[in-house]
Amino acid sequence: MEHMVVPASLLLQTAEPTYSMCLLPEVFKREKMIEGLALVRSLAIFHSDVLLERLHDLSVALIQEVKNLRSSVSRAAIDCLGDMFMHLKKNMDNELDNCARVLLSKAGESNLFMREDVDKALDAMAQNVTPVRALTSLINGGLSHLNTAVKKCTAQHMCDLVERTGPWRNLSGKQDITDKTLPAIITFAEDNSQETRFYG
């Protein structure tokens, strides 16, 4: 009995999407994922109103891709988050805690390009979302982290935010700002790492 050879294009047209994705080579899946992330970036830049309807679902999916073990996919997702911070601005406020936490965890990786991408995305976050929410998310995501690079990254972006909002606002006595910012600054100033202390 002879086996019939079925072209891959026919297989992709007739099979269910989930089944056909399982049959694809890993490289093809990765390329499709990167293409999809590029599409989301384009939507964030040129048609951001389209993303607002399902922003939470999209953020959850992006967070999963930031955690992807393939650095090319992870970096594309990090860049996508940065563009979303830049173009969706304060609409991203509700997604900050989870996004900041996953970005900060990637700041501790040894890949220099990854750390640079994370730094750009966190900078876009600090420049475009509500400063108080960004401060809170940075403190929650990085203050008690064990990795020195993560602490340094947190302290650096926190320092930028405090300078941007003005020290007078952070020392105003408002409970939501002062109660979180001052203890974090003290913790960073007493850290074992000289780089972290520099920003503390």
Side-chain angles (χ1 to χ4, degrees), residues 2 16 27 48 53 56 63 101 104 107 126 134 141 144 191:
E2 291 184 1
E16 293 180 18
V27 174
S48 56
E53 202 173 294
H56 178 70
I63 286 168
R101 185 172 285 115
L104 286 169
S144 59
D191 195 80

Side-chain angles (χ1 to χ4, degrees), residues 2-3 7 10 16 19 22 32 40 42 50 53 64 71 74 85 92 96 111 115 169 179 189:
E2 291 184 1
H3 293 281
L10 181 63
E16 293 180 18
Y19 179 71
C22 293
K32 286 296 182 188
V40 172
S42 296
V50 173
E53 202 173 294
Q64 291 304 315
S71 63
S74 182
F85 288 132
M92 288 293 290
L96 283 181
N111 185 332
R115 288 197 316 256
R169 183 167 182 203
D179 286 354

Side-chain angles (χ1 to χ4, degrees), residues 97-114:
D97 281 337
N98 294 329
C99 291
R101 185 172 285 115
V102 74
L103 287 172
L104 286 169
S105 70
K106 283 292 183 178
E109 292 200 1
S110 59
N111 185 332
L112 177 64
F113 299 114
M114 181 87 67

Side-chain angles (χ1 to χ4, degrees), residues 8 26 28 32 39 44 50 53 87 90 92 103-104 117 124 129-130 139 142-143 145 154 157 159 167 174-175 181 185:
E26 188 65 33
F28 188 69
K32 286 296 182 188
L39 177 64
V50 173
E53 202 173 294
H87 297 283
K90 295 182 181 183
M92 288 293 290
L103 287 172
L104 286 169
D117 290 342
V129 300
T130 306
I139 291 168
L143 181 65
H145 205 282
T154 304
H157 290 287
C159 180
K174 289 187 179 178
Q175 192 170 10
T181 306
I185 291 170

Side-chain angles (χ1 to χ4, degrees), residues 30-102:
R30 185 170 55 241
E31 288 173 4
K32 286 296 182 188
M33 186 63 66
I34 292 171
E35 284 176 20
L37 291 167
L39 177 64
V40 172
R41 284 183 76 183
S42 296
L43 285 172
I45 295 168
F46 300 110
H47 302 286
S48 56
D49 53 321
V50 173
L51 299 180
L52 295 177
E53 202 173 294
R54 304 279 310 261
L55 187 58
H56 178 70
D57 296 333
L58 181 60
S59 297
V60 169
L62 279 173
I63 286 168
Q64 291 304 315
E65 294 313 318
V66 168
K67 296 176 186 176
N68 195 308
L69 297 178
R70 295 287 183 188
S71 63
S72 57
V73 174
S74 182
R75 289 183 64 203
I78 290 167
D79 291 341
C80 188
L81 274 177
D83 284 337
M84 287 174 64
F85 288 132
M86 194 176 301
H87 297 283
L88 297 176
K89 300 191 182 295
K90 295 182 181 183
N91 291 310
M92 288 293 290
D93 281 0
N94 291 334
E95 311 303 326
L96 283 181
D97 281 337
N98 294 329
C99 291
R101 185 172 285 115
V102 74

